[in-house]
Amino acid sequence: MKRKFSKAPFAVLLALSVAAMSTSALAATSSELSGKWYEGAMSTWMERGIIKGYEDGSVQPERSITRGEMAVVLDRVMDYQSKAKNSYTDLSTDNYSTDAILGASAAGVLKGYDDGTVRPNEKITREQAAVMLSRVMKLDGTNTASAGYQDQDKVSSFAVSSVNAMKAAGYMKGDANGNFAPQSAVTRAEIATVLDNIFKGYYNKAETYTGTVSGSAVINTSGVILKDMTITGNLVIAEGVANGDATLENVTVKGAVIVRGGGTNSIHITGNSSIANISAARTDGAVRIAVEGSAVVSTVVADNAVVLDGTIGSVTVAGAAAPITINGKVDSVVVAETAQGATLKVAEKATVGTLTISAPKTSVEISGTVKTVTTTKTATSAAVTTTATAKVDTVVANGTGTAISGTGKVANVSAAADNVKVDTSGTKVTVDSSASGVTAGGKDVSGGSSTTVPDTGSGSGSSGGGGGGGSTTTTYKLDVSITDGTKTVNSSADYQLSSEKIVNALGTAYSSKVTELKAAFGGSLGLYAIAEEGMAARSDATKWAAFVEKYENEVTGDGMDLVEDLDQTLADMTLDTSYQLQYTPVAGTTYTVTFRVVRK
């Protein structure tokens, strides 16, 4: 849900260029811009409603802007949906730019000073503007050649890589004498010109667009379809898309697609689209990227929560604690060292060629097929959990404390680090001579030797003589995953059923995990109370109807259909299929619960 920003007094907004311009004001504006070097850029971004005039009808293109005004301009372009907590000591709630500043802060675009201030009314310098805009476009100038300005040595250390990157991308330039003037205040005309250099395509209406864009483009609303299009630069799917959709049909993006908005059913790449690189960078929730048809996506870099469907060349998990779900086919996955605490799920029908884990405390759940899993030396305490449908050819454990467990099939483990633990039945474990503390099925395995974990699966035969007619009890497993887009808890529980209803199984398995889930989410999830209330109401039709009505606007997903038909037996439901519930207790916070029942 789009967050509602508070409104400043009308007169203040007019003075700060928010009011619509009258015919006479437009005439005055025309005289200010006519024949000037910035006429085209100012006119374009005024027409788009990003740069606005003053109460007296003027535009004042050469007037310097403040840090707060810069945030307001970026908010109009990107349409920020969430706000950071106001921890700035000098940002009052009645400042006209407060919401925009907090929106830009939540997006990681604007940061404060070491003394805790953000200085909203201070003039923004050219180098500060370069830093903010390079963050919007996710430019990494670390290895970019020097911009070579005559005053390059005057660029502050924090801004050097951004200034270099903005010059290399053609977004910002120096003056006629080759100077960048990094500490000079930036003007309204200069910001309009930089925006014009960056965004050659601007899509803010739910329509279908075609054509070629020579440069970068931005989508800032839901329902946009780009079709039969080539974009030579980057494409930003901005925060304004929120939880809505954006579709790329037969679109080639030669730069990167930067996904800052979109929800769990949102970004569709279809037809013969060709995307070199996708950056999954939404900061306030999970986004789903679906690659369909003959579309080709070479690389996805995930900074935050993302669900990936379809065929993708490679995936890099870069963000710390980022929860990633792979539902399709990926040639290679790398969990970078920066992604400490990341959680990766390889779904049942997904296939991954190579999975390399370099981040400490990475948690991987495999339900699909993975050819090779490698933990590097930096991937300490990595956990690889397999479900009954998982198939893994080889795990190479170079990270201390790597743990491999679950009910899936892992053919081979090569343990080259200390304290590797292997508990998957039937797995051959080979231990390097330098490794110690390795266990297989709970038993020590010395360095330089190998063993096979005993198969602990139960057979289908029966013991004893006697005769027939007894009821058969089958063991099932319920896998549960809960995420709020930042943290993820994966848990499971075994239970036995004969003719009991599925409601009893779900209730028992869920209740067994309440303590663990409460510990992870601090009791904020609220689903515990809902579960208990639903169990109590299910036996009474009137109470059940009231229960469903009470939560129908907060809880959605195909899992609700299952919950609403709890009279079916386990034999009637579809096994090995994931069901999903989405719970939104407050605007901007959505919890996704995925559960699946498998026969053990």
Side-chain angles (χ1 to χ4, degrees):
M1 179 181 293
K2 177 175 171 60
R3 57 93 172 98
K4 301 297 184 182
F5 283 171
S6 61
K7 305 300 181 183
F10 186 63
V12 175
L13 293 179
L14 279 171
L16 293 162
S17 312
V18 180
M21 298 180 67
S22 65
T23 303
S24 59
L26 288 172
T29 297
S30 177
S31 65
E32 288 183 272
L33 303 180
S34 180
K36 301 294 179 62
W37 60 268
Y38 44 71
E39 179 180 5
M42 284 291 294
S43 298
T44 295
W45 290 94
M46 287 170 61
E47 290 173 2
R48 291 172 173 171
I50 307 303
I51 304 294
K52 299 185 179 183
Y54 292 88
E55 187 175 11
D56 62 0
S58 66
V59 181
Q60 303 181 40
E62 297 182 26
R63 175 175 173 172
S64 300
I65 69 170
T66 65
R67 288 167 57 83
E69 288 171 332
M70 182 69 180
V72 171
V73 167
L74 290 179
D75 186 25
R76 290 173 184 156
V77 175
M78 309 300 285
D79 193 12
Y80 296 128
Q81 299 294 301
S82 61
K83 296 186 294 183
K85 180 181 178 181
N86 187 359
S87 59
Y88 298 120
T89 59
D90 61 341
L91 186 62
S92 62
T93 56
D94 59 354
N95 189 299
Y96 80 98
S97 63
T98 293
D99 285 329
I101 286 174
L102 297 179
S105 296
V109 171
L110 176 61
K111 299 179 181 180
Y113 293 86
D114 292 339
D115 63 0
T117 63
V118 71
R119 304 176 195 177
N121 300 319
E122 189 175 278
K123 301 297 185 185
I124 188 168
T125 65
R126 286 172 54 80
E127 66 179 9
Q128 290 172 344
V131 170
M132 290 180 66
L133 289 164
S134 69
R135 289 171 180 160
V136 169
M137 300 306 291
K138 291 191 69 67
L139 300 180
D140 182 3
T142 305
N143 298 315
T144 303
S146 171
Y149 294 115
Q150 292 297 318
D151 55 354
Q152 183 78 16
D153 61 336
K154 297 202 171 37
V155 178
S156 301
S157 58
F158 75 87
V160 169
S161 62
S162 295
V163 169
N164 292 342
M166 291 292 285
K167 169 70 179 298
Y171 297 155
M172 291 185 79
K173 302 175 183 179
D175 61 20
N177 296 318
N179 293 310
F180 184 70
Q183 273 80 47
S184 295
V186 71
T187 67
R188 288 160 59 83
E190 288 173 330
I191 287 301
T193 300
V194 175
L195 289 177
D196 211 46
N197 290 340
I198 297 174
F199 296 121
K200 301 299 185 181
Y202 179 75
Y203 309 114
N204 64 340
K205 295 181 180 179
E207 298 176 359
T208 298
Y209 301 85
T210 62
T212 297
V213 176
S214 297
S216 296
V218 59
I219 298 171
N220 70 358
T221 192
S222 175
V224 170
I225 299 173
L226 304 187
K227 184 176 181 180
D228 302 329
M229 178 179 288
T230 296
I231 299 172
T232 64
N234 296 339
L235 171 64
V236 179
I237 299 176
E239 286 83 352
V241 176
N243 292 321
D245 293 347
T247 300
L248 312 183
E249 181 181 348
N250 301 325
V251 173
T252 296
V253 180
K254 296 185 177 180
V257 175
I258 303 166
V259 181
R260 295 184 175 278
T264 54
N265 296 289
S266 284
I267 312 304
H268 307 276
I269 302 172
T270 69
N272 294 312
S273 292
S274 177
I275 311 297
N277 179 42
I278 295 177
S279 174
R282 178 171 177 173
T283 60
D284 61 348
V287 61
R288 173 177 173 262
I289 300 171
V291 183
E292 304 165 2
S294 301
V296 175
V297 173
S298 299
T299 302
V300 173
V301 178
D303 292 320
N304 295 293
V306 65
V307 177
L308 300 172
D309 292 355
T311 300
I312 298 170
S314 66
V315 173
T316 298
V317 183
I324 313 297
T325 299
I326 296 174
N327 290 325
K329 179 182 179 182
V330 179
D331 293 336
S332 66
V333 177
V334 174
V335 183
E337 192 172 347
T338 56
Q340 178 171 339
T343 58
L344 174 67
K345 181 176 181 180
V346 180
E348 181 179 345
K349 296 182 180 180
T351 60
V352 173
T354 61
L355 167 57
T356 303
I357 304 169
S358 295
K361 298 181 180 179
T362 298
S363 177
V364 178
E365 179 187 310
I366 300 174
S367 298
T369 300
V370 180
K371 185 173 180 60
T372 304
V373 178
T374 301
T375 63
T376 68
K377 291 182 179 181
T378 57
T380 56
S381 302
V384 179
T385 304
T386 63
T387 68
T389 55
K391 295 180 181 179
V392 180
D393 286 352
T394 303
V395 176
V396 180
N398 296 316
T400 301
T402 299
I404 301 102
S405 63
T407 57
K409 174 66 176 177
V410 180
N412 300 285
V413 172
S414 175
D418 295 341
N419 303 320
V420 173
K421 182 180 179 182
V422 184
D423 290 322
T424 46
S425 298
T427 301
K428 181 180 179 180
V429 181
T430 303
V431 183
D432 187 84
S433 59
S434 64
S436 63
V438 177
T439 63
K443 296 183 179 179
D444 294 337
V445 185
S446 59
S449 65
S450 63
T451 189
T452 299
V453 179
D455 189 345
T456 58
S458 58
S460 59
S462 59
S463 60
S471 64
T472 301
T473 299
T474 305
T475 299
Y476 296 85
K477 184 163 74 74
L478 177 69
D479 291 326
V480 180
S481 172
I482 300 180
T483 180
D484 63 356
T486 301
K487 302 179 296 296
T488 299
V489 170
N490 297 309
S491 59
S492 61
D494 294 341
Y495 52 88
Q496 291 185 330
L497 291 178
S498 51
S499 61
E500 287 85 354
K501 307 296 185 183
I502 183 64
V503 60
N504 298 326
L506 286 171
T508 300
Y510 187 86
S511 297
S512 70
K513 295 298 174 181
V514 164
T515 301
E516 178 183 342
L517 294 170
K518 281 185 176 179
F521 292 103
S524 63
L525 188 57
L527 286 172
Y528 327 108
I530 292 180
E532 294 171 359
E533 187 176 342
M535 294 299 177
R538 188 63 191 94
S539 60
D540 184 288
T542 302
K543 291 181 179 179
W544 177 253
F547 169 76
V548 171
E549 182 178 0
K550 178 178 179 180
Y551 292 107
E552 65 180 352
N553 293 325
E554 296 181 2
V555 183
T556 59
D558 55 9
M560 195 62 178
D561 298 332
L562 177 66
V563 173
E564 289 177 351
D565 192 20
L566 291 177
D567 287 332
Q568 62 182 319
T569 64
L570 185 64
D572 294 329
M573 75 172 291
T574 304
L575 298 181
D576 300 337
T577 296
S578 293
Y579 295 88
Q580 194 173 83
L581 293 173
Q582 289 182 322
Y583 170 56
T584 307
V586 295
T589 303
T590 298
Y591 297 95
T592 301
V593 182
T594 303
F595 57 90
R596 185 182 62 163
V597 177
V598 297
R599 181 181 284 107
K600 293 192 68 175

